[in-house]
């Protein structure tokens, strides 16, 4: 008789099951996520936690929605520049920061976005990170807690980042 094998229903390390992000822009990880250890901010001249990841890329590189969702909020932050928050349901949000002040057509609060849809371009609006090379700062929260977006990147997104890192791009 066939045996019933238990299937794993809980994703490892508390990750939301089957939720994946595609890469929001091409580039390499310039600064990782760390909610506990403070990292030196060249611009601000002090140590601070880094709740997102920075993907170094060319200035004006396209920034794409990493997953389907709804534009929850668009704002200008004194330190992080032009920001867009996208809700993906189930209390999952992605935050795109240091965008160019001019967003893509149709990107307004309440607008539905599809994975891979352009939301804007990398800018240099984050005064707290001006000393850094051009980059997209992306954050993610699940249930109100900051998580490392890399834990949710698809295999393809991780491969792209790894290959860019190895080619020294």
């Amino acid at each position: 008789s066939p045996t019933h094998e238990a299937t794993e229903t809980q994703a490892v390390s508390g990750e939301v099951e089957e939720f994946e992000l595609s890469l929001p822009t091409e580039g390499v990880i310039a600064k990782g996520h760390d909610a506990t250890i403070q990292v030196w901010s060249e611009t601000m001249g002090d140590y601070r936690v880094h709740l997102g990841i920075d993907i170094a890329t060319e200035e004006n590189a396209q920034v794409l929605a990493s997953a389907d969702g709804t534009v929850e909020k668009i704002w200008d932050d004194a330190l992080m520049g032009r920001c867009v928050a996208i809700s993906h349901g189930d209390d999952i949000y992605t935050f795109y920061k240091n965008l160019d002040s001019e967003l893509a057509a149709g990107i307004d609060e309440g607008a539905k976005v599809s994975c891979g849809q352009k939301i804007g371009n990398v800018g240099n609006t984050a005064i707290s990170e001006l000393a850094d090379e051009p980059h997209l700062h992306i954050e993610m929260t699940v249930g109100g807690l900051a998580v490392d977006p890399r834990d949710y990147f698809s295999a393809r997104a991780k491969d792209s980042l790894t290959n860019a890192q190895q080619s020294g791009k």
Side-chain angles (χ1 to χ4, degrees), residues 64-129:
L64 312 174
S66 285
D68 295 347
T70 303
V71 177
E72 193 73 22
K73 187 177 176 192
I74 297 171
W75 74 102
D76 290 304
D77 181 273
L79 294 176
M80 295 307 298
R82 179 65 113 178
C83 304
V84 173
I86 297 178
S87 165
H88 304 286
D90 295 328
D91 208 14
I92 301 170
Y93 293 86
T94 50
F95 303 87
Y96 306 81
K97 300 181 175 185
N98 193 34
L99 297 171
D100 187 72
S101 50
E102 191 73 32
L103 297 176
I107 300 301
D108 298 302
E109 290 184 3
K112 297 262 183 256
V113 291
S114 300
C115 182
Q117 180 178 338
K118 181 178 177 180
I119 52 178
N121 294 80
V122 170
N124 58 1
T125 56
I127 63 163
S128 68
E129 297 186 344

Side-chain angles (χ1 to χ4, degrees), residues 2-24:
T3 60
H4 178 267
E5 290 185 19
T7 55
E8 190 68 31
T9 54
Q10 198 76 22
V12 242
S13 77
E15 291 176 29
V16 182
E17 206 175 348
E18 292 180 22
F19 182 79
E20 277 192 342
L21 296 176
S22 68
L23 206 56

